[in-house]
Amino acid sequence: MKSWLLEFRYNNVILHDQNSVGVFVEKIGQEIQSGIGNCSLLFGDRCDLENGFTLLFRKPFEFTALVQGLSNGILTVDIHLLCNNGLDIREENIQKLREAILDMENICRKNTMEFDSLPAIKRGRSFSAYDKSSFGSLLEYDFDKLVFDQNTPYQNVRIFHSKQYGNCLVLDNDMNLSESDLQYTIAITGSEKEDYTNKEVLVLGGGDGGILHYLKDRGPKMITMIEIDGVVLEAAKVHLRGICGDSMDFYKGENYEIIEDDCVKYLQKYVEEGKKFDYVINDLTAIPISTKPVGSHWDFLRLILSLSMQVLKSDGKYFTQGNGANCVEALTMYEQQLLDLPCPVSFTKEAVCVPSYLEMWIFYTLWKTKVEK
């Protein structure tokens, strides 16, 4: 199914005259039949001074058109096309209908240039190409193929192919990383300002292999990567070669090791052993979006922060993603959590454009401000 959502302004004074409303809605019906196809009026609530009017046109098994004239002067025309029939409605048909309605008497044109109608909303496909930005706006991707789809004990793992981004890892319906998102990996490893030579690096999560692939040839002494979901690791090796290359073909190499397990368990183990790292890179999850820093997601975030600070060397650095740059309240709450850590820390943040995220994304760098005794 395809849905086009058109919006206009009309002279709501006509609501006081049923004859004027009758002429107006009849003209709308004529334009719909002329521009889209023959149809009949299935329902009509012609005039209500408080609520305006509502009309429903329909051609069985082909399309419906819902027309609503609100009492505040807003007029909406929603066209819904069933795609499994012979009727072919194109964008140009919708644009012609829009222009025809704009030319009608009692339609109010703006002084500035009108925007074209929005593209059709596509529904009923085998998979959805839609997502929400961090601040709730609608995003549409150019997915043309579902490459991989599997439920695990931890999450739903899907990989889509995009014409412009390559293969994209989507976890629980959330865009995680695409083969075009090298900017993400660069940002979460210090934006090329760090020297990893002979350094001990701990990566929390990172199952797509991007961080490991980016760092392992930059001279680190050892990279320990802990990813809980083996399905992500195996799917990435096959379908996300543009991210991980051949770096995860073997789970252990000369200067790296991939551990398939719960990173909390290993963090607690490292704390007990007194093991320290030069860099801790948290690639687990974004900062939760909520009105208060409470709940299981925030508890997990605080736990990871606390344990990570305990295994970080006094001169070490901790890197993590934040969330979308527009999520100011959530980012502010996260920064308050940093101020409340038992170990005093300082931090910087930067906004980076990650291609497949379709928005600016915040990344944090933390370091201890007092030398451990």
Side-chain angles (χ1 to χ4, degrees), residues 247-261:
S247 296
M248 298 200 301
D249 289 356
F250 302 96
Y251 278 19
K252 196 168 186 178
E254 182 179 343
N255 66 343
Y256 73 91
E257 181 179 8
I258 300 170
I259 300 172
E260 183 186 328
D261 210 330

Side-chain angles (χ1 to χ4, degrees), residues 141-263:
Y141 290 97
D142 61 341
F143 297 151
D144 57 7
K145 184 179 180 182
L146 178 60
V147 176
F148 181 87
D149 186 4
Q150 184 174 332
N151 289 318
T152 80
Y154 310 103
Q155 59 201 339
N156 172 256
V157 180
R158 289 189 293 176
I159 297 174
F160 293 97
H161 178 260
S162 160
K163 294 177 183 178
Q164 61 178 327
Y165 301 127
N167 282 352
C168 305
L169 176 63
V170 177
L171 303 178
D172 284 340
N173 289 330
D174 185 47
M175 174 64 77
N176 195 260
L177 200 70
S178 80
E179 291 182 308
S180 68
D181 291 342
L182 180 60
Q183 289 88 338
Y184 178 98
T185 303
I186 291 174
I188 205 170
T189 55
S191 297
E192 299 186 324
K193 299 173 184 176
E194 305 298 322
D195 181 5
Y196 282 90
T197 306
N198 294 321
K199 299 298 174 61
E200 292 271 0
V201 183
L202 177 61
V203 180
L204 309 177
D208 51 70
I211 294 172
L212 175 65
H213 184 62
Y214 182 74
L215 290 182
K216 77 181 185 67
D217 294 327
R218 294 175 179 264
K221 181 179 180 181
M222 176 58 67
I223 301 172
T224 304
M225 172 179 143
I226 309 174
E227 166 61 51
I228 197 170
D229 200 333
V231 172
V232 174
L233 293 169
E234 293 301 312
K237 288 198 301 185
V238 176
H239 303 295
L240 299 173
R241 304 292 282 192
I243 295 175
C244 64
D246 60 0
S247 296
M248 298 200 301
D249 289 356
F250 302 96
Y251 278 19
K252 196 168 186 178
E254 182 179 343
N255 66 343
Y256 73 91
E257 181 179 8
I258 300 170
I259 300 172
E260 183 186 328
D261 210 330
D262 183 355
C263 70

Side-chain angles (χ1 to χ4, degrees), residues 82-333:
L82 299 177
C83 295
N84 58 349
N85 58 64
L87 184 62
D88 184 20
I89 299 179
R90 300 178 181 272
E91 294 292 339
E92 50 263 37
N93 300 117
I94 300 299
Q95 295 300 338
K96 287 180 180 178
L97 171 62
R98 176 179 167 278
E99 288 298 325
I101 294 177
L102 281 172
D103 288 337
M104 285 176 48
E105 186 178 358
N106 286 312
I107 289 291
C108 306
R109 279 186 176 268
K110 296 180 180 178
N111 293 329
T112 57
M113 182 178 178
E114 296 274 0
F115 284 100
D116 290 342
S117 65
L118 297 173
I121 300 294
K122 306 174 187 68
R123 295 181 288 177
R125 296 179 292 182
S126 58
F127 58 83
S128 175
Y130 295 104
D131 196 0
K132 293 188 300 181
S133 71
S134 63
F135 55 96
S137 64
L138 180 66
L139 307 176
E140 181 176 7
Y141 290 97
D142 61 341
F143 297 151
D144 57 7
K145 184 179 180 182
L146 178 60
V147 176
F148 181 87
D149 186 4
Q150 184 174 332
N151 289 318
T152 80
Y154 310 103
Q155 59 201 339
N156 172 256
V157 180
R158 289 189 293 176
I159 297 174
F160 293 97
H161 178 260
S162 160
K163 294 177 183 178
Q164 61 178 327
Y165 301 127
N167 282 352
C168 305
L169 176 63
V170 177
L171 303 178
D172 284 340
N173 289 330
D174 185 47
M175 174 64 77
N176 195 260
L177 200 70
S178 80
E179 291 182 308
S180 68
D181 291 342
L182 180 60
Q183 289 88 338
Y184 178 98
T185 303
I186 291 174
I188 205 170
T189 55
S191 297
E192 299 186 324
K193 299 173 184 176
E194 305 298 322
D195 181 5
Y196 282 90
T197 306
N198 294 321
K199 299 298 174 61
E200 292 271 0
V201 183
L202 177 61
V203 180
L204 309 177
D208 51 70
I211 294 172
L212 175 65
H213 184 62
Y214 182 74
L215 290 182
K216 77 181 185 67
D217 294 327
R218 294 175 179 264
K221 181 179 180 181
M222 176 58 67
I223 301 172
T224 304
M225 172 179 143
I226 309 174
E227 166 61 51
I228 197 170
D229 200 333
V231 172
V232 174
L233 293 169
E234 293 301 312
K237 288 198 301 185
V238 176
H239 303 295
L240 299 173
R241 304 292 282 192
I243 295 175
C244 64
D246 60 0
S247 296
M248 298 200 301
D249 289 356
F250 302 96
Y251 278 19
K252 196 168 186 178
E254 182 179 343
N255 66 343
Y256 73 91
E257 181 179 8
I258 300 170
I259 300 172
E260 183 186 328
D261 210 330
D262 183 355
C263 70
V264 172
K265 181 173 73 175
Y266 273 81
L267 282 167
Q268 291 170 337
K269 173 176 176 286
Y270 295 148
V271 170
E272 292 175 3
E273 295 173 348
K275 185 174 178 60
K276 302 286 184 177
F277 295 88
D278 297 287
Y279 294 99
V280 177
I281 302 173
N282 178 357
D283 192 30
L284 294 170
T285 184
I287 294 170
I289 299 175
S290 60
T291 56
K292 294 181 179 179
V294 295
S296 60
H297 288 94
W298 281 100
D299 291 340
F300 179 71
L301 180 150
R302 283 186 283 262
L303 176 63
I304 294 298
L305 267 173
S306 176
L307 291 171
S308 296
M309 291 301 106
Q310 293 178 67
V311 302
L312 186 67
K313 290 183 179 179
S314 59
D315 59 349
K317 289 185 178 178
Y318 174 91
F319 298 122
T320 189
Q321 62 168 315
N323 211 305
N326 280 337
C327 299
V328 177
E329 291 184 2
L331 296 171
T332 301
M333 285 190 287

Side-chain angles (χ1 to χ4, degrees), residues 1 17 46-47 80 85 95 116 129 136 153 217 244 274-275 346 364:
M1 174 185 281
D17 181 2
R46 291 296 180 104
C47 184
H80 304 283
N85 58 64
Q95 295 300 338
D116 290 342
D217 294 327
C244 64
K275 185 174 178 60
S346 297
Y364 285 91

Side-chain angles (χ1 to χ4, degrees), residues 302 305-307 309 336-345 366:
R302 283 186 283 262
L305 267 173
S306 176
L307 291 171
M309 291 301 106
Q336 184 60 51
Q337 306 308 303
L338 302 182
L339 297 176
D340 293 340
L341 284 171
C343 172
V345 300
L366 279 66

